[in-house]
Amino acid sequence: MSETRASPAFRPLYRQVRDLLVQRLIDGSWTPGMMLPSEFQLAAELGVSQGTVRKALDAMTAEHLLIRRQGRGTFVASLEEGRILFQFFRLIADDGTRLFPESDVVGRSRGRATAAERHALALEPAAEVWRIERVRRLGGRKVIVETIALPVARFPALDDMKTIPNNVYALYSEEFGITIGKAIETLKAAGARPAVAERLGCETGQPVLIIDRVALSLDGTPVEYRVSSCLTEGFHYRSEL
């Protein structure tokens, strides 16, 4: 591998190595829990220095794609509950306590994608999606109502699942080979619609925080569109920049 500074699109060599290694996660060559070859082996295979490989692995570790285990080696991260909590769930108690949400699936259906779903997921006009409706509790209290839309083409056997687990990102990875790399969220304050109010046990029109999320796989493809309506009395959304 080599690098050049002739182009404005120049990427450091370690970023090029990082992208090559991420591709191994995308194509399934490296799977959750697998131990990686040593830095020496990877450097020899890719024709770069061990320092470059180390920087690439450090970047992937910072993205929660890998886990370094002292004295044991580097492993592909599994989507365990704790990692999902800190990486993808931003609603915390006003006193700073992080409570992992428990989820109750209240509906599952299949249908033609709406305009919003097509736009978010880059789908064709006739595309279909699965819709999973959940109520999520924090500390036993109903706080979130959400609808998750997934392309049927990417999740063809979802109807074979008897239950939908709390940790859906682990489900995507383990059952469908889709690892979520990042999510893009937009936030908006609004009044609770009647259906949302009924499920949360609050008054219609009570202020809620609406979070629109598009989750992307490691190759940048949008694979999940999620709309969450959240009660914020006693809770707040926290983002670390």
Side-chain angles (χ1 to χ4, degrees):
M1 298 184 67
S2 62
E3 55 182 311
T4 174
R5 297 179 182 273
S7 168
F10 162 76
R11 289 180 303 144
L13 185 56
Y14 85 90
R15 294 297 301 180
Q16 298 176 46
V17 171
R18 176 262 180 205
D19 292 348
L20 286 174
L21 299 182
V22 166
Q23 187 59 43
R24 299 184 183 188
L25 302 179
I26 295 171
D27 64 24
S29 299
W30 290 353
T31 56
M34 179 182 291
M35 182 178 179
L36 272 58
S38 69
E39 292 177 0
F40 175 81
Q41 291 172 305
L42 289 172
E45 176 188 346
L46 298 173
V48 298
S49 69
Q50 282 184 246
T52 296
V53 169
R54 186 173 300 114
K55 288 184 68 175
L57 297 180
D58 286 345
M60 294 173 69
T61 301
E63 296 172 60
H64 306 286
L65 300 177
L66 304 177
I67 294 176
R68 304 271 200 170
R69 292 179 177 154
Q70 187 67 33
R72 295 181 58 192
T74 302
F75 296 78
V76 178
S78 298
L79 294 178
E80 73 280 355
E81 298 289 316
R83 187 172 83 82
I84 296 300
L85 170 60
F86 292 109
Q87 186 177 3
F88 292 108
F89 191 76
R90 302 292 186 178
L91 208 64
I92 66 175
D94 286 345
D95 64 4
T97 303
R98 289 183 179 273
L99 301 171
F100 196 83
E102 299 175 311
S103 304
D104 298 316
V105 175
V106 295
R108 192 191 330 180
S109 62
R110 174 176 176 167
R112 180 167 292 192
T114 64
E117 291 164 343
R118 291 197 304 271
H119 176 74
L121 297 170
L123 299 177
E124 297 295 328
E128 291 188 310
V129 296
W130 301 109
R131 296 187 187 94
I132 301 168
E133 298 179 49
R134 304 198 297 182
V135 174
R136 312 193 79 182
R137 291 171 279 114
L138 292 173
R141 175 185 165 197
K142 294 180 180 179
V143 175
I144 304 168
V145 169
E146 66 184 14
T147 299
I148 299 171
L150 305 169
V152 169
R154 297 295 299 269
F155 299 87
L158 191 70
D159 57 340
D160 294 336
M161 311 294 298
K162 291 184 178 180
T163 60
I164 301 296
N166 186 39
N167 187 347
V168 292
Y169 286 1
L171 171 70
Y172 303 166
S173 175
E174 295 166 5
E175 299 294 332
F176 300 96
I178 297 172
T179 298
I180 300 301
K182 69 175 183 179
I184 301 170
E185 293 185 335
T186 58
L187 284 66
K188 183 178 182 179
R193 294 178 290 104
V196 169
E198 181 178 358
R199 286 182 173 167
L200 290 178
C202 68
E203 295 293 329
T204 298
Q206 182 169 330
V208 293
L209 179 67
I210 298 178
I211 304 173
D212 279 31
R213 173 189 293 181
V214 179
L216 297 89
S217 61
L218 291 176
D219 63 1
T221 302
V223 294
E224 179 201 79
Y225 176 53
R226 180 185 306 210
V227 180
S228 304
S229 298
C230 314
L231 291 174
T232 58
E233 183 180 353
F235 299 93
H236 63 271
Y237 184 96
R238 178 178 177 180
S239 179
E240 299 179 7
L241 305 176

